[in-house]
Amino acid sequence: MPYTDDGNNRLASYQPDLTLNPEDYISYIGKEGVDSLKRLAEPLEGKSWANINSTLDGGGVAEILRGALPLARSLGVDARWCVMEGNDAFFQVTKKYHNLLQGIEQPISLEEIFNTYLDTIELNAQHTHISSDMIVVHDPQPLGLLTKGVLFGNILWRCHIDTSTPSQVVWRFILPYVNQCTGAIFTMPSFVGPGLQIPVYEISPCIDPRAVKNRQYAESEARDVLSVLFKESKVDPDRPILAAISRYDIHKNQSTILKAFQKLQAEKRYDPQPYLIFVGNTVADDPEGSDMLDQLRDEAGDDPNVRIWVNVEDNDRVIGALMRVARGFVHVSTREGFGLVVAEALWQGTPVIGSRVGGIVKQVIDGETGYLVDPLDVDTIASRMARLLDDPEEAEALGARAREHIRKNYLLPDLVRRYLMLLRYYTGVDREPPPFRMNGKAYSETIDMIRARHAGLDDLGITK
Ligand code: UDP
């Protein structure tokens, strides 16, 4: 079934780069990797895969789609991206959904849940008509479209949030929509919320090795990229660096990283002294972000070895280069869906001190690719920082394994491979569900099976 646009569809549609060649990935996954993707895609020529989310720019979902869709298209799949519209009030409510679904208590009114959210859904539904072999609806924002009769095909809900302990109010509100989908996709089994009656699949976010940020720099090149910034901020490039990069946000827990660094400095005199460099972005309409930043600046005081950078120029190159030259990367969030920064740092060959939280545990293997710590355990974080600083050889060995771990498991072609397998399953190319299916036969499938048997059809709906 092709993606159809009957002229009534006014969701913004992103046209992916059509010049990509699957061979462009050979240097990352080898010829065999690219050939196996092509074999998977062969029977999918012309089949359609639509994606719906709520933003074209910013955030992990947009970052992933920007890489995944061109690759899928270069393999012959008609991959599309539609972006729904919403006003500030809508996004404030869906940000609350996001927090509450991650188990963070926050007041929300019934007015917000029903009126603000559903009014926007209604407006979008008036302009939407999407028919596709597979439609992936990302996160809660577009979920309400499910009951509007404007999406036609196998609809999968992709939840990028850690919904292992969701607020009951919001979870109960979205559950009936989710259960109308053909299936749902989560980052890991522990994120699957209660009460799902549909097939559930596991797909992790991934990083695109072809993105500017993830270019693997030679050390000298990385130092060149950073030279101006280092000069401006009076950073001596010969001293070791611990880096921490993320939004300034309470859950990113930058304050604990700082405390651990202060402890490290109080306990041991290094020569040369290491730096702790924070890099982060704030968004103008996020007052929490600037409060966190002010607080961190206060706590750091005039420590000559701490730098706090905000919204750096030439962001992507600077981030990749800083991750590359750092002795260690520290990311001890108290909540985390996946933590793309962790994958990015490991990919640059830098070991990560990461918290045992959310998707970080898939990436940081304790003693193999970095160290796992409890997010508020200042003493252990400080001791792991010391270990990376005291033993550069160990840091390098961890970093080499880290890069390999990401190469094998968290590069974009692996994500595309999983979506292709879903598309094969839902278009009847494969009879067996893909191996990353997390549950057995779901309620909806059992009902379908019983109905089909009664109608004298086999499991694929073909008359016997
Ligand atoms: N990031 C960036 N500049 C910054 C801070 C973060 O480009 O100053 C990027 C980072 O490299 C990553 C993304 O923002 O690609 C953050 O994704 P992650 O999953 O780590 O956290 P989120 O912000 O989605 O909670």
Side-chain angles (χ1 to χ4, degrees):
M1 192 193 306
Y3 168 98
T4 63
D5 184 343
D6 59 1
N8 189 29
N9 189 5
R10 277 193 263 141
L11 288 194
S13 181
Y14 164 77
Q15 268 307 316
D17 163 20
L18 299 177
T19 58
L20 189 94
N21 194 327
E23 265 75 24
D24 294 346
Y25 282 90
I26 286 185
S27 53
Y28 309 107
I29 58 169
K31 184 161 180 336
E32 178 41 40
V34 169
D35 286 347
S36 86
L37 270 181
K38 285 184 180 168
R39 279 195 299 274
L40 261 186
E42 215 169 65
L44 298 174
E45 179 76 39
K47 298 267 190 264
S48 54
W49 166 29
N51 292 271
I52 311 177
N53 84 326
S54 62
T55 171
L56 208 51
D57 292 303
V61 179
E63 181 116 0
I64 289 166
L65 292 179
R66 207 167 283 284
L69 300 194
L71 179 54
R73 289 188 78 98
S74 73
L75 291 160
V77 173
D78 180 10
R80 304 277 179 144
W81 179 1
C82 305
V83 181
M84 66 175 292
E85 286 169 13
N87 57 17
D88 285 354
F90 174 77
F91 289 120
Q92 269 164 22
V93 171
T94 54
K95 173 85 204 264
K96 284 189 181 183
Y97 281 11
H98 183 106
N99 287 342
L100 283 155
L101 287 170
Q102 296 225 112
I104 299 153
E105 284 311 324
Q106 199 166 20
I108 188 164
S109 65
L110 289 179
E111 161 81 18
E112 287 173 308
I113 294 181
F114 288 97
N115 295 7
T116 313
Y117 179 74
L118 290 179
D119 283 354
T120 303
I121 291 294
E122 188 63 50
L123 284 174
N124 275 274
Q126 287 168 15
H127 312 309
T128 306
H129 175 115
I130 296 174
S131 304
S132 185
D133 292 301
M134 180 167 83
I135 304 177
V136 180
V137 172
H138 295 266
D139 281 341
Q141 293 91 334
L143 198 52
L145 290 172
L146 251 296
T147 54
K148 294 288 162 196
V150 294
L151 307 181
F152 305 93
N154 293 290
I155 305 172
L156 296 159
W157 184 50
R158 181 21 171 146
C159 177
H160 296 268
I161 305 170
D162 172 356
T163 45
S164 43
T165 53
S167 134
Q168 286 306 306
V169 176
V170 179
W171 183 252
R172 278 198 212 118
F173 172 69
I174 66 165
L175 194 57
Y177 294 100
V178 179
N179 275 330
Q180 298 229 5
C181 295
T182 314
I185 304 167
F186 291 84
T187 298
M188 54 200 292
S190 61
F191 288 7
V192 180
L196 286 181
Q197 299 175 345
I198 55 176
V200 181
Y201 301 94
E202 179 175 2
I203 300 185
S204 280
C206 282
I207 58 166
D208 186 357
R210 297 181 68 253
V212 172
K213 195 181 283 176
N214 300 317
R215 218 190 111 194
Q216 290 185 315
Y217 292 100
E219 174 144 4
S220 57
E221 246 181 313
R223 292 195 179 282
D224 276 354
V225 169
L226 295 166
S227 61
V228 175
L229 196 55
F230 275 4
K231 204 163 167 194
E232 278 169 12
S233 323
K234 299 195 173 55
V235 169
D236 173 352
D238 295 326
R239 287 166 49 182
I241 292 170
L242 296 169
I245 302 175
S246 62
R247 282 180 293 117
Y248 290 106
D249 178 282
I250 186 142
H251 302 291
K252 300 294 181 186
N253 196 19
Q254 281 102 341
S255 177
T256 301
I257 301 176
L258 178 64
K259 283 197 191 97
F261 186 70
Q262 287 165 337
K263 184 171 166 63
L264 177 88
Q265 297 196 100
E267 284 179 356
K268 190 164 170 186
R269 208 157 160 90
Y270 282 89
D271 185 20
Q273 288 275 83
Y275 291 108
L276 172 61
I277 301 185
F278 289 101
V279 187
N281 38 20
T282 55
V283 245
D285 62 353
D286 181 4
E288 274 172 19
S290 22
D291 290 352
M292 287 307 308
L293 179 60
D294 291 345
Q295 188 188 323
L296 191 69
R297 282 188 171 133
D298 277 355
E299 287 166 359
D302 51 9
D303 188 329
N305 304 320
V306 175
R307 298 289 181 279
I308 300 176
W309 295 343
V310 191
N311 300 332
V312 288
E313 245 177 71
D314 198 7
N315 177 78
D316 288 8
R317 283 190 342 131
V318 164
I319 281 181
L322 185 64
M323 285 172 168
R324 170 72 179 85
V325 302
R327 178 71 59 83
F329 187 82
V330 194
H331 195 72
V332 293
S333 315
T334 51
R335 314 239 178 201
E336 192 64 80
F338 183 68
L340 280 174
V341 275
V342 174
E344 291 161 2
L346 296 173
W347 177 239
Q348 292 294 345
T350 300
V352 173
I353 300 171
S355 49
R356 269 183 208 91
V357 168
I360 297 174
V361 300
K362 286 182 118 178
Q363 308 181 66
V364 178
I365 304 168
D366 197 32
E368 284 286 311
T369 66
Y371 302 112
L372 280 175
V373 294
D374 290 330
L376 299 176
D377 183 353
V378 172
D379 292 355
T380 309
I381 299 168
S383 83
R384 297 299 182 252
M385 287 174 168
R387 208 151 140 184
L388 293 178
L389 292 167
D390 291 341
D391 193 344
E393 278 168 22
E394 157 133 336
E396 205 170 309
L398 289 167
R401 287 194 293 265
R403 177 176 290 178
E404 196 48 23
H405 180 54
I406 298 301
R407 196 185 65 74
K408 278 201 189 124
N409 302 294
Y410 301 111
L411 291 188
L412 194 79
D414 190 61
L415 174 136
V416 170
R417 187 174 62 81
R418 288 183 183 228
Y419 279 109
L420 294 182
M421 289 167 98
L422 283 171
L423 190 52
R424 285 170 65 106
Y425 180 53
Y426 283 112
T427 51
V429 174
D430 293 332
R431 286 185 80 104
E432 289 300 315
F436 49 92
R437 169 83 173 254
M438 289 197 273
N439 54 358
K441 227 177 210 12
Y443 174 78
S444 56
E445 288 169 306
T446 310
I447 297 290
D448 283 350
M449 212 175 68
I450 294 168
R451 279 204 192 111
R453 296 246 159 97
H454 274 294
L457 306 172
D458 73 7
D459 289 353
L460 285 177
I462 297 162
T463 313
K464 282 178 182 160

